Amino acid sequence: MEINIPLSGLSTGELKKLIKENKEVLKEKGISLAGAVEKSDLIAALDKAGIQPKVQGFEAIKYKSKLILQYVHNLEYTATFAPLADMGLELRSNNEWASVVQGPESVSRGSVVVAVNGKSVLLQTYTEAIQAMIDAKSSGEAFNITFRRAPWKTGTLWKAARQKSNKQKVSGLGWKKRYFVLAYGMLAYYDKKGGKLKGHYNLDSVTGHQTIVAPAPASVLAAADSAAIMIVKGSDRLIMKSSNAEELMDWAAMLYMAVAHTNGGNTEMYEAEMSRMRLQADREEYQEWMKNAAAKAEADRMQMYVDLAAAEAHAQALRDAEAAKTAEEAAAAESARATIELAEAEKVVSKRRASVSAASARESMLM
């Protein structure tokens, strides 16, 4: 089993490693990496050389499951519960995950508790998750619990005869066509769609025996004449094959996720949840920043109006002072002009008086 990895999905470091591993191929094809510093340059060189990275076997299953994990939110749903009322939930701890054994119609069996009132509890302990639900229930207000359904898938595969022995019989595997239904942490198989149940495989791990999904061993592959996968738990093995390699890869990845979901998660799921929590924290921090920025912008706008009003008042005061100064100067000028005119008038009067006096004196002399 193998799967191609898009070059764009590799980091710069992984691209450089791939280039180093294929140095001779690039040289033979005359592809120079001089000046190739950007990630796009490295991708272009590898693409031109026809170098396609691949992962095989179990690593291919893990890689495919990571791709599916990008859409795990599609399996999540939220149920609302009344305050102080019985939730009707029976939960159990699966490696610290709170898994639903049974519940109301709104909650699917095999689901796990993801968040309480929007706050993630998936990476907390089982006790902490339960306490979060108790606190929400006793708050006196309606509350929400977010659940994640168990992965599900249906389809037709070929199944080898079920063997519960440490010795795997290669010859006479007895392949039979079966219709498989993956749901609620269980893989069931029927003689046909809607037909008779022929068997099931519980994905729960048991003490001393972990449930594992992996490619079938080489000896089985040779007998199967096609790609095959198996679920193993101790000596209990269920082997399946398909002539459609892509469909079988999808089944392997979904079973890998279902086993992890049923048994309290795996590294890929924990990392995906941590990334989501970081993204949520960044989003909340951004929203808080936007809220503060909006408040600051409003405060700055109000301060601008205050400053504008103060500037206008100051300008008016200057205008009034200038007007008063102009009026005072005009009054002073008018007073000076009047004084000059009065002085001139007095000179004219004095001159006339002098003329009258002289005339009177002449008249007196004549008399």
Side-chain angles (χ1 to χ4, degrees), residues 195-206:
K196 181 181 179 181
L197 177 66
K198 302 299 291 184
H200 68 274
Y201 199 106
N202 194 326
L203 301 182
D204 279 334
S205 295
V206 296

Side-chain angles (χ1 to χ4, degrees), residues 2-204:
E2 66 177 25
I3 188 170
N4 293 334
I5 301 177
L7 291 170
S8 58
L10 299 179
S11 67
T12 302
E14 289 171 329
L15 289 170
K16 289 181 178 179
K17 181 180 178 182
L18 189 61
I19 286 172
K20 186 176 181 180
E21 293 171 350
N22 293 273
K23 186 188 302 183
E24 293 302 320
V25 175
L26 291 166
K27 185 178 180 180
E28 288 174 5
K29 295 190 175 183
I31 298 174
S32 174
L33 291 171
V37 292
E38 299 293 334
K39 182 178 178 179
S40 57
D41 299 329
L42 303 178
I43 292 175
L46 290 166
D47 188 54
K48 187 177 180 180
I51 297 172
Q52 178 64 61
K54 298 179 180 181
V55 285
Q56 297 178 326
F58 183 64
E59 290 303 315
I61 296 174
K62 288 176 63 178
Y63 179 80
K64 181 68 175 182
S65 72
K66 283 185 179 181
L67 297 180
I68 298 175
L69 268 176
Q70 297 176 17
Y71 307 98
V72 73
H73 58 274
N74 292 331
L75 293 174
E76 295 178 359
Y77 61 98
T78 299
T80 301
F81 296 87
L84 307 176
D86 182 12
M87 291 185 286
L89 282 174
E90 181 182 344
L91 303 173
R92 68 173 179 176
S93 174
N94 277 335
N95 192 26
E96 300 299 345
W97 276 15
S99 182
V100 177
V101 177
Q102 63 180 13
E105 290 184 4
S106 59
V107 181
S108 173
R109 178 168 52 88
S111 298
V112 295
V113 177
V114 173
V116 178
N117 281 335
K119 183 178 180 181
S120 176
V121 296
L122 202 59
L123 299 182
Q124 296 182 2
T125 65
Y126 176 76
T127 301
E128 289 170 335
I130 295 298
Q131 188 60 53
M133 288 186 280
I134 292 173
D135 292 342
K137 177 182 176 181
S138 59
S139 68
E141 298 179 355
F143 60 98
N144 297 323
I145 299 180
T146 301
F147 298 90
R148 181 182 297 170
R149 289 186 179 86
W152 63 273
K153 185 174 175 62
T154 61
T156 301
L157 296 170
W158 289 86
K159 182 191 78 66
R162 186 83 169 266
Q163 298 186 22
K164 296 187 177 182
S165 170
N166 288 326
K167 294 183 178 181
Q168 179 65 52
K169 297 177 182 180
V170 176
S171 59
L173 289 176
W175 295 103
K176 292 183 179 180
K177 195 174 185 179
R178 293 288 182 250
Y179 185 78
F180 286 83
V181 176
L182 172 64
Y184 312 120
M186 183 87 67
L187 179 64
Y189 46 94
Y190 302 78
D191 58 355
K192 60 182 179 179
K193 184 176 181 179
K196 181 181 179 181
L197 177 66
K198 302 299 291 184
H200 68 274
Y201 199 106
N202 194 326
L203 301 182
D204 279 334

Side-chain angles (χ1 to χ4, degrees), residues 204-235:
D204 279 334
S205 295
V206 296
T207 303
H209 298 293
Q210 183 180 359
T211 305
I212 299 171
V213 177
S219 57
V220 173
L221 294 179
D225 295 326
S226 65
I229 59 174
M230 63 181 183
I231 308 175
V232 181
K233 180 165 50 180
S235 59

Side-chain angles (χ1 to χ4, degrees), residues 129 264 284 347:
E284 291 174 355
K347 287 180 180 180

